[in-house]
Amino acid sequence: MKVGDQIYLLSEDRDSQHVPWSDLWSGFGTIGWYAFGGPAAHIGIFQKEFVERKKWVSDKLFAELLGLGHCLPGPTSTQMSFALGITQRGVWGGLLTGMLFMYPGLLLQSLAGYGMGKALENPDPWLRAVLGGLTAAAVGLVAEAGIVLSKKQCPDRLTQAIAILSGVITYLLPYQWIFPASIIVGALITLVLTRPKEQTVSGDILEIEEEMSHFGLSVWGGAFLCFLWFAILVGLMIVRPMLNYDDWKPLFWFESFYRIGSLIFGGGQVVLPMILAEVTQFKQQCTDVPDALGHLIQHCTAIEQPVFPHGTSWVTSEQILTGLAIAQGLPGPLFNISAYLGAQLGGVVGVAACWLGLFLPGVMLMFGVLPLWGKFRNFSIYRRMLPGLNAAAVGLIYGACFELVVKTLSGSMFPDVSMCIGFVCFCLTYLFEFSAPLTVVSGAVFGVGAWYAGLK
C-alpha cells in the first residue's frame, strides 16, 4: 500500500473497531489457566467463548481461521489465539490475546523444569482424578464445538461428506501432512464440483468482510514477515555447522527448536518424536545372534548416548518423557514442553531459546499469511473453495474428538466414569449452555467426586 513515496508495513486495518481492549483482557485473561486437554480442547473452548457467547466472530470466519491454521506449520490453537485478537484489534490485539493464552503454560512448565513439577510426575490419586475429570470435560467441549460448527458449515450432502472424509482420514492417518492436505482436498472438491457464480459479493461474503475489519499487518508487511521467517530458518541452518556447540549452546538450542517449529504440522503430539530425535542421540549397536537353526542373524539395538559433555545428547529420553507427563497435566499448548526442556538445558537462557524457537515460526507465519489471505479471500475462486475448506476443518474437529476420547479412556484411572463425565459435560455446555470455564471446573469436581466415591 503506497502513500506518496512510503510503503506501509504495519497495518491495513479498516477504520471500524470491534471489542474494547478490556474485553480482550477479560476474554483471554484466564483462559490459559483452564485450557486443559490439548489443541482440540482449546479450539472447543475458543468456539464456545468467542463464537457462541461473546460473538467476536461468526462460525464461518472461525472455521476459515481454523482451516488456515491447519495449513500452516506450528501449534494451531496458539495461532488461533493470536488470530482472534487480530480480528478485533489488529497486531497489538493479536499479541495481547496470544500472550495471555500462552503465559500460564510457559510459567508452569518453566517452574517444572526447575524441579517444581514432582507432584505431576507421579500424581496422588486425588490429583489424577482431577486431571481425568478435566480431560473428560475437554471431550465434551470438543464434541459441542463440532456439532455447532457442522450445523452451519455442513448444510448439504457434499459438505457433510467432506467433513466425514476429513475426520476419518485424519484419525486413521495421523501424519503431519494429512492436516493441511485434508483442508486443501476439501477446498478443491467444492471448487471442482460447484458451478462458478457471477462476480458479485454475496450476503455471506459481505458479512464476513464487514466482520473481518483487521488483518494485522499490511500485505507488504505480511510478505516481509514470511520472508524473514524463511531467511532466519535458512541462515541458522547454514551457520550452525560452522560453530562449536560448547561455545554457542543457546544458538544451537534455538536453531533446533526453530527448525522443528517451521516444519511441524498437526500439533503437540506430533512434535514430541521430532524433539526426541533432535535433543537425544542414539547409536545403533549390532551383534550376531544365532537363530533356531544355528544361523547367525544380525540383531541391532539403539543405544542412547550420554548427555553432553560425556556424549552427544542434550537431555535424556527420561527427561523428555517426564516433561511430557507434566505437560499433559498442565493447561495450555503442549508445545510448552520446550520451556521445561529449556530450563533443564540452561535455565532462563535455555527457556528463552527453546520456547521462542518452537513457537516463533508458527506465530510469525500466522501474522505474515493473514493479510495475504485477506486479499485472496476476495477472489471468486476462494469463495467456491470456502465451503469445502470449512467442512474439512469441521471434520478435523470430529477426528480430534474421537482421538481425545481414546486417549482419555486409555489414561484414565476410571475409564467408564470418564466417559460419563464427558457425556455430562457435553450436555452441560450444549443443552444448558454452561460457559467453558464452568464446564471445565464441573469436570474436575465430577472427577474428584468419582474418586472419593471409589468408582471405576
Side-chain angles (χ1 to χ4, degrees):
M1 176 179 174
K2 293 187 178 181
V3 179
D5 294 327
Q6 294 180 328
I7 299 179
Y8 287 84
L9 301 180
L10 179 60
S11 179
E12 283 190 352
D13 296 344
R14 303 177 188 179
D15 293 333
S16 62
Q17 297 287 332
H18 276 194
V19 302
W21 288 100
S22 59
D23 284 4
L24 294 185
W25 279 98
S26 62
F28 274 89
T30 59
I31 202 168
W33 292 101
Y34 64 84
F36 293 90
H42 304 161
I43 298 301
I45 292 173
F46 293 161
Q47 192 276 335
K48 183 70 177 179
E49 290 297 298
F50 305 116
V51 178
E52 288 188 45
R53 295 186 68 246
K54 300 182 184 298
K55 301 188 184 303
W56 285 10
V57 295
S58 67
D59 293 287
K60 185 169 291 187
L61 180 55
F62 184 83
E64 281 190 81
L65 293 173
L66 180 59
L68 180 64
H70 278 299
C71 290
L72 298 176
T76 303
S77 62
T78 302
Q79 292 168 321
M80 286 288 290
S81 70
F82 283 93
L84 287 169
I86 292 173
T87 64
Q88 305 305 308
R89 286 284 177 167
V91 172
W92 295 112
L95 291 174
L96 175 62
T97 56
M99 290 308 301
L100 285 175
F101 174 66
M102 296 167 71
Y103 89 89
L106 166 63
L107 176 63
L108 295 173
Q109 283 278 33
S110 299
L111 293 175
Y114 281 107
M116 302 179 187
K118 297 296 184 182
L120 291 172
E121 290 182 28
N122 295 294
D124 294 333
W126 70 268
L127 185 53
R128 286 189 62 196
V130 171
L131 297 176
L134 291 171
T135 308
V139 173
L141 287 169
V142 176
E144 194 256 359
I147 289 176
V148 171
L149 288 174
S150 62
K151 283 185 176 180
K152 294 184 178 181
Q153 303 311 314
C154 305
D156 52 50
R157 297 300 185 192
L158 178 60
T159 52
Q160 291 165 6
I162 292 173
I164 294 172
L165 180 65
S166 173
V168 170
I169 290 178
T170 53
Y171 181 80
L172 289 177
L173 305 172
Y175 304 120
Q176 289 190 55
W177 54 270
I178 284 294
F179 296 93
S182 298
I183 299 293
I184 295 172
V185 170
L188 291 177
I189 288 175
T190 52
L191 175 65
V192 173
L193 298 183
T194 56
R195 295 181 179 181
K197 296 182 179 180
E198 296 180 2
Q199 301 297 318
T200 59
V201 179
S202 66
D204 288 341
I205 297 298
L206 180 60
E207 176 187 344
I208 294 176
E209 289 180 349
E210 289 175 348
E211 184 182 16
M212 190 72 178
S213 57
H214 296 281
F215 293 100
L217 298 170
S218 68
V219 172
W220 283 104
F224 174 77
L225 195 59
C226 291
F227 171 78
L228 182 62
W229 158 77
F230 184 73
I232 293 174
L233 176 64
V234 174
L236 288 172
M237 293 175 66
I238 293 175
V239 170
R240 172 175 164 165
M242 305 176 184
L243 304 176
N244 181 20
Y245 173 74
D246 198 23
D247 298 327
W248 296 89
K249 291 179 182 178
L251 188 140
F252 273 68
W253 302 335
F254 181 80
E255 188 277 335
S256 292
F257 281 85
Y258 188 90
R259 176 162 34 86
I260 293 172
S262 298
L263 302 175
I264 186 69
F265 291 89
Q269 300 295 342
V270 183
V271 78
L272 295 173
M274 298 182 68
I275 292 178
L276 180 62
E278 189 69 28
V279 304
T280 304
Q281 302 300 313
F282 292 85
K283 183 178 180 180
Q284 198 173 54
Q285 181 174 317
C286 298
T287 57
D288 292 330
V289 179
D291 61 9
L293 300 178
H295 301 296
L296 293 179
I297 299 177
Q298 193 173 59
H299 177 72
C300 298
T301 57
I303 306 299
E304 183 174 334
Q305 299 300 292
V307 175
F308 183 88
H310 305 292
T312 55
S313 295
W314 295 349
V315 296
T316 66
S317 58
E318 182 180 358
Q319 288 175 294
I320 295 179
L321 294 176
T322 300
L324 172 61
I326 294 173
Q328 291 178 328
L330 294 177
L334 198 57
F335 274 43
N336 280 325
I337 191 177
S338 57
Y340 172 87
L341 295 175
Q344 296 274 317
L345 285 169
V348 175
V349 174
V351 170
C354 298
W355 188 80
L356 287 175
L358 193 59
F359 277 99
L360 195 58
V363 174
M364 290 178 68
L365 286 172
M366 177 55 81
F367 274 91
V369 170
L370 202 57
L372 306 177
W373 165 77
K375 293 296 183 182
F376 179 68
R377 71 202 295 264
N378 293 322
F379 298 154
S380 60
I381 188 174
Y382 178 80
R383 299 175 192 176
R384 291 167 55 197
M385 296 167 66
L386 183 57
L389 184 152
N390 288 347
V394 172
L396 294 181
I397 295 178
Y398 279 118
C401 182
F402 282 103
E403 182 180 2
L404 188 58
V405 168
V406 173
K407 291 180 179 178
T408 300
L409 296 179
S410 62
S412 175
M413 62 186 298
F414 34 55
D416 294 335
V417 174
S418 292
M419 180 66 77
C420 295
I421 293 175
F423 175 72
V424 171
C425 288
F426 166 76
C427 293
L428 290 178
T429 184
Y430 183 67
L431 299 178
F432 295 93
E433 299 182 352
F434 274 35
S435 65
L438 187 56
T439 303
V440 171
V441 172
S442 299
V445 172
F446 293 148
V448 173
W451 164 75
Y452 185 78
L455 300 178
K456 298 294 182 181

